[in-house]
Amino acid sequence: MRIVLLGPPGAGKGTVARLLSSGSGAVQISTGDILRGAVQAGTPLGREARGCMDRGELVPDNLIIGIMEERLRGPDCRKGFLLDGFPRTISQATALRELLGRLDITLDLAVNMVVPRDVILDRLTTRRTCSNPDCQEIFNLKTRPPAEGARCTECGAPVVQRDDETVDAISRRLEIYNEKSSPLVEFYAQEGLLFTTTSLTKEESLKDITEALGQAPRSTR
Ligand SMILES: [Zn+2]
């Protein structure tokens, strides 16, 4: 299973990737997690990335693509992978196509997750994240509230609203998505890999994608 997940922040790419990963052994590769790791490590690239994320902007290609190549070469990716949040631009998609060609890897599907703006805003502004770097458990004020006193149920650390999950930052991220990332839908349509789902629950999205994988001509499962 080798899938690219497309869709705006809050579309549920991470959730669906996690479910597909646990069912197949394919590795979930999230640009966000990789970048946050670099930010926390305080490397020069991490500091550079931090400035971008704090402003709700995209992180430069050269930074992300280097990290992505190292990851895809990992032996655990042989069973497959789910790219969650990458590529975000046409130039990244072109770089990814070139990289996969070199590694002799073929994609099965590019899944486009379409979710209305008001649903996204509601999902993301209610999200809270455990402030313990070794935990980072994710909560939601409506569907999965933290423990009393806004504490993590797993480790007891305070939960916080991330800087990029305020209403202003999300609005900016959606603008950037529409401008830079929505052309990816056409890119993967031309590659013959595009599958679109408009389902709003993880169960329905998962069912849609599993069915599409079964019908994908190059599918490995
Ligand atoms: Zn925690």
Side-chain angles (χ1 to χ4, degrees):
M1 182 187 292
R2 298 182 181 108
I3 296 181
V4 167
L5 290 158
L6 306 174
K13 300 186 296 294
T15 303
V16 163
R18 235 179 343 269
L19 291 170
L20 286 168
S21 168
S22 65
S24 68
V27 181
Q28 178 186 2
I29 301 178
S30 154
T31 317
D33 287 346
I34 294 175
L35 287 174
R36 276 191 288 279
V39 167
Q40 275 158 17
T43 63
L45 292 179
R47 285 200 296 274
E48 201 182 318
R50 162 133 216 178
C52 297
M53 288 192 280
D54 283 350
R55 293 189 297 272
E57 292 172 3
L58 293 174
V59 174
D61 284 357
N62 57 346
L63 206 156
I64 298 174
I65 286 164
I67 298 170
M68 191 56 62
E69 173 160 7
E70 272 184 4
R71 191 67 195 85
L72 287 176
R73 285 179 180 278
D76 57 340
C77 286
R78 284 188 197 130
K79 277 192 175 175
F81 52 80
L82 302 134
L83 296 186
D84 156 21
F86 183 89
R88 286 192 179 179
T89 62
I90 293 290
S91 67
Q92 285 181 359
T94 307
L96 177 65
R97 184 174 59 189
E98 187 271 333
L99 172 61
L100 293 177
R102 261 193 292 129
L103 300 177
D104 200 23
I105 292 172
T106 311
L107 285 178
D108 294 320
L109 218 56
V111 176
N112 182 29
M113 300 183 68
V114 176
V115 178
R117 179 190 173 89
D118 57 338
V119 175
I120 290 171
L121 279 170
D122 188 58
R123 281 182 185 171
L124 292 187
T125 56
T126 52
R127 194 185 283 188
R128 298 293 181 271
T129 306
C130 175
S131 58
N132 174 1
D134 296 326
C135 176
Q136 297 189 55
E137 193 72 18
I138 292 170
F139 298 88
N140 185 289
L141 297 181
K142 290 184 180 173
T143 59
R144 195 192 171 216
E148 211 179 313
R151 297 271 163 181
C152 176
T153 56
E154 303 301 309
C155 74
V159 302
V160 294
Q161 183 173 32
R162 273 172 35 188
D163 291 343
D164 60 350
E165 290 178 346
T166 62
V167 174
D168 283 353
I170 292 163
S171 299
R172 177 81 186 118
R173 286 164 71 195
L174 288 175
E175 265 174 43
I176 292 171
Y177 178 82
N178 287 333
E179 183 189 332
K180 308 267 186 180
S181 301
S182 57
L184 290 172
V185 173
E186 183 55 29
F187 178 93
Y188 283 109
Q190 284 178 8
E191 298 276 303
L193 292 170
L194 187 70
F195 171 73
T196 297
T197 170
T198 55
S199 294
L200 293 182
T201 67
K202 55 181 186 272
E203 292 82 8
E204 285 174 18
S205 301
L206 199 66
K207 184 166 165 282
D208 290 349
I209 296 166
T210 306
E211 281 175 11
L213 267 176
Q215 289 163 9
R218 283 176 284 189
S219 175
T220 51
R221 49 174 289 140

